[in-house]
Amino acid sequence: FASNALLSSLVAILGVFLSKHYSYDASLLLWHKWGGAGIALLSWGALYIPSTARKLKIVFAVIFLFVIAFFTHKGAQLTHGVNAISFPQKKAEAVLPKEVKLDSNTTVYEKAVATILEQKCVGCHGTDKIKGSLQLNSIENILKGGKGGSILVGINGKEASLIERIHMPLGNEKHMPPDGKLQLTPSEISILNQWVKAGGNFKTKMNQLAKTDSLYLLANNYVPLAAEKKNQVGSFPDLSSYNSNYCSVNYLYHGSDQVEVTFFQGSFYNHALLKKLEKLKGQIIHLNMQGMPLKNEDIELISQFSNLKRLNLNYTKLNLKAIEAIKKMESLSALSICGMEINETTLSNFLSGARFSQINVWANNINIKQLQNVIAKYPKTKIIVGDNLENDFVKVSSPTIEQDSSIIANHLDVKLKNLLNGVVIRYTTDGSEPDSLTSPKYNTTLRFTQNTTLKARAFKVGWLSSNTIQRTFYKSEIHPDTTYLITKPDPKYTGSGANTLVDYELGDQNFANGKWLGYKDATMEFVVGFKQAKTIKQVYFNSLVDYGAYIMPVVSILVQGSDDGKNFKRIKETKYPIVIKPATMRETKSFSCVFPENTKYRYYKFTVLNIKKLPEWHPGKGTPGWIFIDELFLN
């Protein structure tokens, strides 16, 4: 009895420590915690029951057995879900969605990533069970990350934890999904790889990707795991009876009771097809009626779909007055009315009192200036100009920069180009985002003579503007004869050694591409030398900043000069402010240091300091931050 009591107490204490390692349901954890304490106390109490009290021992044993059974069951529910050790049930299977229909609102996340996570990950990281403080059942929870921080951004030079875990050997206890669970297919692994590599952006739309892009091809061809066609006990109703050659009705994803509906072939449409869906009116959240010849009775029925979130009424030959009831729908967040006859007055009146937050419009009888007036009047409503058809040119392609070099010797001529007719290219060189009204128009070749960050976008009336392209051009007048690293970079981020600093090859925002020198525990120190003494007025460092990956801005740059390469004299130290709250999570950034006049030495020694203790707002607070440098420019 004494050994049992001691072990029970030890298990209860260890259980408290284990509860700190993962996040569990609070109510279950409370039950299990006090259950462990109760079992330990009962074990000690058993020591004091007299050996002659037989009846008391029996009663005590029954109570002890019940306590153990009840509270260990709570423990099983903590680690294996609320249905652990329950009566046998047939596995609930949902009818999986067919291929998601592409329109301008379909994101890569909706097309493939959400379904993969729902099928393979939510079982351990959902509402019933939360491992590692991580839930993957919504965008908000995914962005929160888990106990180790973000799962989409690499930390301490490692891969993003989502990618790291799925690539671990199956036998590794940290491999996800765990051994014994349904594993990811090679195509699913590739989709997650490409999506995270592209930034893990939940807003990236399919039609924003090039049709030859690997992520587009993978996501576009992705088909979820086929489900049992039989309507098993516990599964959602079979939707096959609602499907026809002119209407597709599917569950949004595996395990969901939410439904998406798409109609085809407007010449065969009749109200009875829509009326048939009345039984599902509380489940339909996406409805695509594009090209259907709708009438008032159709709109009246659609307005009763109480949980409808996205509605496509493109080219339905309706007018704004006919769909007045739509704007009052409480759950509707996105409406598309391309091809509908509108003008500034009717659109403005329609938006008055509307509950949706986004609307797609496209009409020949309203110009961009009138639309801008409406946009200014309703700033809380996102008004997107462009039709909802799958079209390569719904969004203007980004302009291209026709200049291979990023290095300015004396001057550098830069040309911008876009192949689409009627496009206006606007640009900025002050760090601001180009807009369609105030930013300079690109008309002729740009000539840069100093460090310049160029941003450009393409605009076309009636089209969605392009994404912003950005490129930094650096002036570099002096090239050192020798470069020597005093302190070695981290073994994982050695670039091409000292040559990394002077090879004129700028790294991109992928810190693992082999073009960066990374320092964390050591302070970066190096020397550049010349055959004859050189006068230097200014130095620039090209650096990567990625707060999620613990890659921080440079703290300070100390410069020393020497004529013999042995005895160095302090020239200048430039310190940079500590970032309190970053505006951008990831960017390439330059750090400069201006020298005093008449600075002339054969050797220059640079000490580039990284932050040694990350600030309180950062998830890695108190630990060293990285710096990543890939180029040195001397002028």
Side-chain angles (χ1 to χ4, degrees):
F1 282 109
S3 299
N4 178 69
L6 183 61
L7 290 173
S8 298
S9 302
L10 181 61
V11 168
I13 294 170
L14 292 176
V16 173
F17 287 111
L18 185 61
S19 70
K20 305 297 182 183
H21 184 62
Y22 292 118
S23 292
Y24 295 106
D25 179 88
S27 61
L28 286 175
L29 185 61
L30 183 66
W31 277 102
H32 190 53
K33 179 175 69 175
W34 288 112
I39 291 171
L41 290 173
L42 287 172
S43 299
W44 287 110
L47 293 171
Y48 298 96
I49 298 177
S51 57
T52 55
R54 182 178 177 81
K55 290 185 178 180
L56 181 58
K57 282 187 175 182
I58 294 174
V59 172
F60 190 89
V62 171
I63 295 173
F64 202 9
L65 181 62
F66 172 79
V67 170
I68 290 176
F70 180 79
F71 288 108
T72 52
H73 177 62
K74 293 297 178 184
Q77 289 180 321
L78 276 176
T79 56
H80 293 80
V82 294
N83 294 318
I85 319 180
S86 58
F87 291 107
Q89 296 179 359
K90 288 186 178 179
K91 186 177 180 180
E93 295 284 352
V95 178
L96 293 173
K98 294 180 181 177
E99 196 173 356
V100 176
K101 304 302 175 185
L102 290 182
D103 61 27
S104 62
N105 292 318
T106 304
T107 64
V108 176
Y109 174 76
E110 293 169 329
K111 182 68 176 72
V113 175
T115 304
I116 294 171
L117 297 180
E118 174 65 29
Q119 289 185 337
K120 305 295 175 69
C121 307
V122 168
C124 292
H125 300 283
T127 53
D128 290 341
K129 185 165 50 168
I130 309 171
K131 286 189 175 182
S133 302
L134 176 64
Q135 288 181 284
L136 300 175
N137 55 349
S138 70
I139 293 176
E140 292 76 15
N141 286 334
I142 295 171
L143 288 172
K144 285 179 184 177
K147 195 174 183 67
S150 172
I151 65 167
L152 303 179
V153 178
I155 296 175
N156 288 334
K158 295 182 179 180
E159 287 272 16
S161 61
L162 174 63
I163 303 306
E164 185 181 36
R165 292 296 185 93
I166 66 178
H167 283 291
M168 286 181 172
L170 185 60
N172 192 310
E173 64 178 4
K174 293 185 177 181
H175 171 83
M176 295 298 165
D179 191 10
K181 298 287 186 180
L182 190 62
Q183 296 297 305
L184 294 165
T185 65
S187 66
E188 290 172 337
I189 292 174
S190 296
I191 289 171
L192 294 179
N193 269 335
Q194 293 289 337
W195 182 64
V196 172
K197 183 179 178 181
N201 193 328
F202 293 89
K203 296 181 180 179
T204 298
K205 297 176 183 178
M206 290 290 290
N207 70 359
Q208 290 176 330
L209 300 174
K211 295 299 175 64
T212 56
D213 186 278
S214 298
L215 180 56
Y216 176 87
L217 294 172
L218 287 164
N220 190 47
N221 294 323
Y222 174 67
V223 178
L225 179 68
E228 299 283 340
K229 290 187 176 181
K230 294 180 180 179
N231 183 23
Q232 298 176 349
V233 176
S235 67
F236 295 119
D238 187 1
L239 299 179
S240 59
S241 62
Y242 296 99
N243 283 271
S244 68
N245 292 331
Y246 316 115
C247 181
S248 171
V249 183
N250 295 291
Y251 288 109
L252 190 63
Y253 55 83
H254 176 53
S256 172
D257 65 342
Q258 297 176 327
V259 174
E260 61 178 356
V261 179
T262 301
F263 280 84
F264 309 96
Q265 300 292 331
S267 57
F268 293 94
Y269 175 79
N270 63 65
H271 181 68
L273 293 172
L274 184 64
K275 183 73 174 177
K276 190 176 179 181
L277 299 175
E278 195 167 16
K279 294 179 180 179
L280 303 174
K281 65 182 181 181
Q283 295 173 255
I284 297 174
I285 66 166
H286 296 170
L287 178 60
N288 185 351
M289 304 297 296
Q290 182 165 290
M292 299 299 111
L294 301 184
K295 298 179 180 179
N296 291 340
E297 59 181 350
D298 298 301
I299 297 300
E300 183 180 351
L301 179 56
I302 291 172
S303 66
Q304 298 173 26
F305 292 2
S306 56
N307 291 309
L308 189 62
K309 295 180 179 180
R310 281 173 35 190
L311 174 61
N312 185 337
L313 296 177
N314 292 346
Y315 309 103
T316 50
K317 299 182 180 180
L318 295 170
N319 56 42
L320 291 177
K321 185 177 180 181
I323 64 169
E324 191 72 21
I326 296 296
K327 73 177 190 178
K328 299 295 184 182
M329 296 177 68
E330 293 187 4
S331 298
L332 188 66
S333 60
L335 174 66
S336 193
I337 57 169
C338 299
M340 198 172 289
E341 291 295 318
I342 59 174
N343 57 47
E344 182 178 348
T345 301
T346 58
L347 180 59
S348 181
N349 291 339
F350 180 72
L351 293 177
S352 177
R355 297 185 178 182
F356 50 78
S357 57
Q358 176 180 308
I359 184 170
N360 285 55
V361 296
W362 177 293
N364 293 325
N365 56 329
I366 186 170
N367 59 45
I368 193 67
K369 184 177 180 180
Q370 293 170 326
L371 277 171
Q372 287 171 346
N373 292 337
V374 178
I375 291 170
K377 188 174 180 180
Y378 297 97
K380 293 184 178 180
T381 303
K382 184 178 182 180
I383 302 176
I384 300 174
V385 182
D387 73 9
N388 210 37
L389 295 171
E390 183 184 355
N391 189 313
D392 289 348
F393 301 108
V394 168
K395 190 181 187 74
V396 180
S397 57
S398 298
T400 57
I401 298 175
E402 294 194 318
Q403 176 54 260
D404 294 333
S405 176
S406 296
I407 312 303
I408 305 170
N410 295 315
H411 67 266
L412 196 66
D413 291 333
V414 178
K415 293 182 179 180
L416 299 174
K417 187 176 181 180
N418 190 289
L419 297 176
L420 186 62
N421 291 330
V423 162
V424 174
I425 299 175
R426 293 183 179 266
Y427 69 93
T428 61
T429 56
D430 61 359
S432 63
E433 288 295 312
D435 63 54
S436 61
L437 298 176
T438 62
S439 300
K441 286 185 181 180
Y442 171 77
N443 295 313
T444 187
T445 301
L446 304 174
R447 172 164 288 190
F448 299 141
T449 58
Q450 300 294 333
N451 285 16
T452 305
T453 297
L454 173 65
K455 294 184 179 182
R457 289 171 71 189
F459 299 87
K460 182 177 171 65
V461 175
W463 298 61
L464 296 175
S465 62
S466 75
N467 294 332
T468 300
I469 59 166
Q470 176 179 328
R471 183 130 155 234
T472 299
F473 299 91
Y474 289 96
K475 186 172 183 179
S476 181
E477 299 173 319
I478 303 171
H479 190 88
D481 296 315
T482 60
T483 308
Y484 175 74
L485 296 177
I486 298 174
T487 56
K488 303 301 181 185
D490 187 277
K492 296 189 292 295
Y493 307 107
T494 59
S496 56
N499 190 54
T500 307
L501 296 169
V502 292
D503 61 4
Y504 292 157
E505 290 187 18
L506 299 181
D508 56 27
Q509 293 186 4
N510 176 13
F511 60 84
N513 64 5
K515 293 185 178 181
W516 294 96
L517 297 176
Y519 287 83
K520 184 184 73 168
D521 298 318
T523 298
M524 182 179 190
E525 290 184 283
F526 67 94
V527 173
V528 298
F530 302 90
K531 294 177 182 178
Q532 296 180 349
K534 284 280 186 182
T535 299
I536 295 180
K537 296 181 179 180
Q538 191 172 35
V539 60
Y540 285 90
F541 286 88
N542 188 51
S543 171
L544 174 65
V545 177
D546 187 339
Y547 293 98
Y550 293 31
I551 304 173
M552 307 296 286
V554 170
V555 173
S556 67
I557 299 173
L558 171 64
V559 188
Q560 297 169 282
S562 170
D563 288 321
D564 60 7
K566 297 178 181 179
N567 302 303
F568 283 88
K569 178 183 177 182
R570 179 190 177 98
I571 297 174
K572 177 74 177 288
E573 182 176 16
T574 301
K575 297 182 178 180
Y576 305 96
I578 300 297
V579 176
I580 298 176
K581 187 177 181 182
T584 304
M585 288 301 292
R586 181 187 298 169
E587 61 179 333
T588 52
K589 189 173 183 179
S590 64
F591 293 88
S592 64
C593 181
V594 179
F595 294 5
E597 289 187 13
N598 303 317
T599 300
K600 187 175 183 180
Y601 292 96
R602 280 192 64 197
Y603 300 95
Y604 292 87
K605 179 181 177 181
F606 296 90
T607 302
V608 187
L609 185 65
N610 60 309
I611 189 168
K612 298 304 180 182
K613 288 186 178 182
L614 290 168
E616 289 295 316
W617 56 263
H618 196 281
K621 61 183 179 181
T623 62
W626 291 85
I627 56 169
F628 275 70
I629 306 292
D630 80 333
E631 206 67 38
L632 168 73
F633 300 102
L634 302 171
N635 297 290

